[in-house]
Amino acid sequence: VVATKFNSVNEQIQNEVNGLIVDMSPKGIMNGVITLLTQNSLREKCVANALSEEIENKNEIDKVYDIIN
C-alpha cells in the first residue's frame, strides 16, 4: 500500500510496517511505488503485515454519520 499523508492515515497505515506513507504529490507517490517495486524485503514485510490485519474505515464513516445526523 502506498498512501498519501492525510489526517487519519496513521489510523490505518504504519509507515514501512504495513505500507508506505508518502507526500501528497505525484513525485511522492512515484517514489513510494518505486520504493516498493525495488525493495523486495520491505515490500514482502508490508504485504505480510497488511494481510495479517483487518483495516477498515469505520472511524471515518462514523464521523460522516455524526455530521449527517
Side-chain angles (χ1 to χ4, degrees), residues 13-66:
I13 306 297
Q14 293 175 287
N15 194 40
E16 296 190 3
V17 174
N18 61 354
L20 293 182
I21 301 173
V22 300
D23 289 332
M24 195 177 294
S25 68
K27 187 173 182 176
I29 296 167
M30 177 190 72
N31 288 336
V33 170
I34 289 170
T35 296
L36 287 181
L37 287 174
T38 59
Q39 295 185 21
N40 295 338
S41 61
L42 176 61
R43 181 180 65 249
E44 290 170 4
K45 178 178 98 171
C46 288
V47 167
N49 288 332
L51 289 174
S52 70
E53 298 175 3
E54 187 172 324
I55 298 174
E56 59 181 49
N57 290 329
K58 184 180 180 325
N59 290 339
E60 295 306 306
I61 293 169
D62 288 344
K63 289 177 189 176
V64 171
Y65 280 124
D66 288 343

